[in-house]
Amino acid sequence: MTSYRIADAARLLGVSDDTVRRWIDQRALPVTGDSPTRVPGDALAAHAQRLAESGDDERGPLSSARNRFTGLVTRVQADGVMAQVDIQAGPHRIVSLMSAEAVRELALEPGSLATAIVKATNVIVETPQGGHP
């Protein structure tokens, strides 16, 4: 059976090692009994699915897109009509090309919280209502 060290489990889930340890202490994640502590792969996969399912904000827009990456805007490069926006979502760097007008309307700037929504080959960026988490 595949199992993961706490640090690897945290990296895969996009959380801190302390968060994984807290889930283990709360019995939300089982461990194998090995030393150092390891999390069974099937339990980690089931936990990742539960996190993804619970992450949907019911107050937000309905969408058929399932690939959502919430993170911090790390770079905005606007040049005339078009702009490039980089988002760091855990270990994932998402790059979106959009109009400079959309960047202004969404108030995107380094440090802003944003969600990249990926469907097929398009990346859609949205921010929480009111611009705050």
Side-chain angles (χ1 to χ4, degrees):
M1 168 181 26
T2 302
S3 62
Y4 297 91
R5 293 179 307 145
I6 288 176
D8 295 329
R11 185 176 40 79
L12 290 167
L13 295 176
V15 298
S16 71
D17 295 9
D18 288 338
T19 298
V20 172
R21 285 187 191 93
R22 198 169 27 257
W23 288 335
I24 291 170
D25 291 344
Q26 295 168 351
R27 302 197 192 288
L29 274 177
V31 294
T32 62
D34 296 337
S35 182
T37 303
R38 297 180 72 83
V39 177
D42 58 346
L44 188 63
H47 194 74
Q49 285 182 312
R50 285 191 301 274
L51 289 173
E53 290 168 1
S54 70
D56 291 341
D57 183 0
E58 295 178 1
R59 297 167 296 162
L62 295 177
S63 176
S64 63
R66 294 292 178 249
N67 302 309
R68 302 169 65 89
F69 300 91
T70 300
L72 292 172
V73 174
T74 57
R75 185 172 79 149
V76 176
Q77 187 174 8
D79 183 17
V81 175
M82 295 302 295
Q84 175 180 321
V85 177
D86 294 16
I87 298 172
Q88 192 68 41
H92 307 289
R93 177 177 171 249
I94 311 295
V95 178
S96 178
L97 301 176
M98 65 181 72
S99 70
E101 179 181 10
V103 168
R104 287 188 300 275
E105 288 177 1
L106 293 170
L108 296 173
E109 60 185 26
S112 298
L113 180 67
T115 301
I117 303 164
V118 181
K119 178 133 179 151
T121 59
N122 297 314
V123 175
I124 302 162
V125 176
E126 64 183 26
T127 58
Q129 289 184 352
H132 299 287

